[in-house]
Amino acid sequence: MSSKVLKSISPKEEEIMTYFWQNGPLFVKDIVDMMDDPKPHINTVSTFVRSLESKGWLGHEQFGISYKYFALVPMENYREKSLKGFVDRFFGKSYLGFVSSLVKDEKISTEELKQLIEKVESQKSNQK
């Protein structure tokens, strides 16, 4: 991925990107085929795909008169960017505040939190 700043994407564009992240390169028809019923018109999906390409999220390779599109941005990069934006906006840039909120709202138990801490500490010691 280049160092240029990517334009944000809509929830529908994020849904379409997920197909590329989970399945690799795809034709627009492939995406439509994978979507739940009622399926959107192929032109609708094509519009979203072209928008994602113009924003720098997708690239394409030509096959005859068709284009096979592929993700230019790894899902991990998007996840990190999205989580950072979420924490910045809603928790004053505090990851501790975010995790505390999960515990307070009982979305994660203290036992799960302890397991998470052990996992992180184990990963850090393995990196040394």
Side-chain angles (χ1 to χ4, degrees):
M1 181 179 81
S2 67
S3 60
K4 73 176 183 171
V5 176
L6 290 167
K7 293 183 180 179
S8 62
I9 60 176
S10 70
K12 192 63 173 177
E13 289 171 327
E14 180 182 322
E15 177 188 336
I16 289 172
M17 281 301 300
T18 301
Y19 289 103
F20 290 100
W21 288 324
Q22 293 176 348
N23 301 286
L26 299 165
F27 293 100
V28 172
K29 181 188 176 312
D30 298 331
I31 299 167
V32 174
D33 290 345
M34 287 185 259
M35 294 178 118
D36 294 333
D37 290 326
K39 295 183 186 304
H41 193 276
I42 193 165
N43 290 345
T44 303
V45 176
S46 181
T47 299
F48 282 110
V49 168
R50 286 193 315 273
S51 173
L52 285 163
E53 184 175 32
S54 72
K55 291 179 177 182
W57 291 85
L58 294 175
H60 74 265
E61 184 177 353
Q62 189 164 357
F63 286 84
I65 60 170
S66 296
Y67 293 135
K68 191 170 204 176
Y69 295 89
F70 52 89
L72 293 174
V73 179
M75 183 166 62
E76 296 76 25
N77 292 31
Y78 180 68
R79 184 177 18 223
E80 288 171 18
K81 180 180 182 278
S82 297
L83 180 60
K84 181 182 181 319
F86 177 79
V87 171
D88 289 357
R89 276 191 314 277
F90 296 107
F91 297 93
K93 300 182 180 183
S94 169
Y95 283 88
L96 180 59
F98 172 60
V99 174
S100 296
S101 174
L102 292 174
V103 173
K104 180 179 154 240
D105 296 341
E106 299 180 0
K107 303 295 183 198
I108 184 172
S109 69
T110 51
E111 186 57 39
E112 290 171 319
L113 189 55
K114 288 175 187 174
Q115 291 172 4
L116 178 61
I117 292 167
E118 289 172 8
K119 184 177 179 180
V120 169
E121 288 175 344
S122 172
Q123 288 174 343
K124 282 189 175 185
S125 66
N126 288 340
Q127 291 175 351
K128 291 179 181 180

